[in-house]
Amino acid sequence: GNHVLTKVIQVMPSAALTTIIEQVECKGYWEVARHSFGCRVLERLIEHCKEDQMRGLIDRLVGSAEELCRHKFGNFVIQHLLEHGGEQRRAAVVERLLPHMSYLSMHRTASHVVQQALNYGGVEGQLAIVRALLNAQGSNALAVVAASRYGSYVVEELAHLRCTWVVDEVRRHLTEAPLHLHRSAAFKRVATAYGLSLPCESGNTNEDKP
C-alpha cells in the first residue's frame, strides 16, 4: 500500500511521478498532509520531484504552513519543505510562521518546525525568527517561551546560531525575567545553557505549560 508507494517515489525518475502528484491534488493536499501515511507520500515527493512539477501543490502547503505545523502529521511535511525546498520556498514558510512565532515555539509539534526553520531558514530567516521572539511581549515574551516545556528548546537553539548579539540579547531577557518564571525547570535549564546563575527561590519546579 502506502509503504510501497513511498518506495516507488524514491526509485522512479521524477518525470514519472506526475500521476502520483495529480492523485494527491485530486484527494486534496489538506487531507493527505494530515494523514499518517499521506504525509510520508508528500515528504517523498518533496524530496524527489522538481519544483515545476510540485509548484501548485507546494503553493498550497506553504499557504497552510502555520496550521499544518501544529498538526501531528502535517508538521512533518512543513519540516520537509524547510529541509528540502528551494530558498524561496523556505523563506515563504518562515514568513507564514513569523506572526505566530512565540506561540508556535511553545506548541508541542510546531516547536519542532521552528527549530527546523532555524536550521534551514537561511541567515535572513534566522534573523527574522530571532527578532520575532525578542520583540514579543506579554504572554508571548521570550522569557515566557523559555519557561515553557517546548519553547525552552527553541530558545536553547538560538545559542547554536553562534551570533554574539543574539546570545547577549537572550541573556538580557532571561536576566530581566519575572522571578516566578525561575521556578520552571525549563527556564532553569535554558538559563544554565546561557551561563546564567539564578537567585535561589523556593517553589514548584514544574515546567509551565504552553
Side-chain angles (χ1 to χ4, degrees):
N2 288 289
H3 179 71
V4 174
L5 181 57
T6 57
K7 289 296 183 182
V8 167
I9 295 171
Q10 288 177 289
V11 299
M12 289 181 67
S14 60
L17 299 175
T18 302
T19 300
I20 297 177
I21 295 171
E22 290 174 349
Q23 291 177 348
V24 171
E25 291 177 331
C26 182
K27 179 70 175 178
Y29 80 96
W30 183 253
E31 289 75 14
V32 175
R34 298 186 304 151
H35 189 274
S36 58
F37 294 110
C39 68
R40 298 177 190 175
V41 171
L42 281 171
E43 287 173 20
R44 299 294 85 77
L45 288 173
I46 291 168
E47 288 177 18
H48 297 283
C49 289
K50 295 179 179 179
E51 167 74 17
D52 57 354
Q53 289 179 282
M54 293 276 290
R55 182 171 290 111
L57 190 55
I58 292 180
D59 283 345
R60 297 181 184 91
L61 292 171
V62 170
S64 300
E66 190 271 326
E67 296 90 341
L68 287 174
C69 78
R70 290 185 279 108
H71 190 268
K72 61 181 178 179
F73 300 127
N75 82 92
F76 295 114
V77 178
I78 304 305
Q79 288 191 57
H80 247 64
L81 270 179
L82 287 165
E83 183 175 356
H84 298 281
E87 182 178 348
Q88 290 184 336
R89 292 302 191 180
R90 296 196 301 269
V93 170
V94 171
E95 185 176 355
R96 297 291 298 189
L97 305 184
L98 281 177
H100 318 279
M101 192 55 65
S102 294
Y103 168 73
L104 297 176
S105 296
M106 294 185 281
H107 192 276
R108 179 173 185 172
T109 57
S111 60
H112 297 291
V113 178
V114 175
Q115 288 179 270
Q116 199 80 329
L118 284 168
N119 290 328
Y120 295 100
V123 175
E124 290 187 7
Q126 291 172 343
L127 290 177
I129 293 170
V130 168
R131 291 191 181 100
L133 291 171
L134 291 175
N135 292 333
Q137 303 291 325
S139 61
N140 288 321
L142 182 77
V144 177
V145 176
S148 69
R149 180 175 182 180
Y150 304 108
S152 60
Y153 294 104
V154 173
V155 179
E156 282 187 300
E157 192 73 36
L158 299 182
H160 299 158
L161 299 180
R162 301 185 183 280
C163 184
T164 302
W165 75 266
V166 172
V167 172
D168 289 344
E169 278 297 299
V170 172
R171 285 170 58 90
R172 181 177 67 81
H173 279 261
L174 297 177
T175 301
E176 297 174 356
L179 289 179
H180 72 272
L181 294 179
H182 295 190
R183 302 175 189 147
S184 161
F187 188 93
K188 291 178 180 179
R189 192 187 71 249
V190 174
T192 299
Y194 280 88
L196 298 176
S197 297
L198 300 177
C200 295
E201 182 185 19
S202 60
N204 188 356
T205 59
N206 290 334
E207 293 176 343
D208 294 349
K209 294 183 179 180

